[in-house]
Amino acid sequence: EVQLVYSGGGLVQPGGSLSLSCAASGFTFRSHDMSWVRQAPGKGPEWVSGISSDGGSTNHADSVKGRFTIFRDNAKNTLYLQMNSLKPEDTAVYFCATGGRWIGADYRTWGQGTQVTVSS
């Protein structure tokens, strides 16, 4: 059974930073491209960042480029998203996904995600 356990969400002021993590089990993590997808209230899912299975290639949406960094630790079966210079428009539920190495690639999200709220 695929399980992804999230941590690191919360409330942060504009300009602040948060680090998200997603610990995976139930599948061969190191064999899969992974990504982060977010969904803001009343909006559809938005692809945020993707990474190759070996971590050597990353891609980010224009809306987060230069502010967010995706990385992974295959020894720990964990995916990360470092978010800096956060803006109110980054407020959303963030999901870990298999696939989605680049925008437009197929992906599948898992679990309930983690809430990120950027507000003063």
Side-chain angles (χ1 to χ4, degrees), residues 48-68:
V48 174
S49 300
I51 188 167
S52 60
S53 58
D54 65 357
S57 175
T58 62
N59 299 283
H60 298 273
D62 287 345
S63 58
V64 307
K65 201 168 290 183
R67 300 188 297 121
F68 290 12

Side-chain angles (χ1 to χ4, degrees), residues 9-78:
L11 172 65
V12 64
Q13 291 187 340
S17 298
L18 278 176
S19 182
L20 307 182
S21 66
C22 165
S25 62
F27 66 104
T28 308
F29 179 78
R30 64 180 182 276
S31 297
H32 287 262
D33 296 340
M34 297 292 294
S35 55
W36 288 96
V37 176
R38 68 186 180 186
Q39 187 160 13
K43 296 187 177 182
E46 177 191 10
W47 176 87
V48 174
S49 300
I51 188 167
S52 60
S53 58
D54 65 357
S57 175
T58 62
N59 299 283
H60 298 273
D62 287 345
S63 58
V64 307
K65 201 168 290 183
R67 300 188 297 121
F68 290 12
T69 302
I70 186 173
F71 56 105
R72 65 193 294 166
D73 185 337
N74 284 347
K76 296 182 178 180
N77 288 349
T78 302

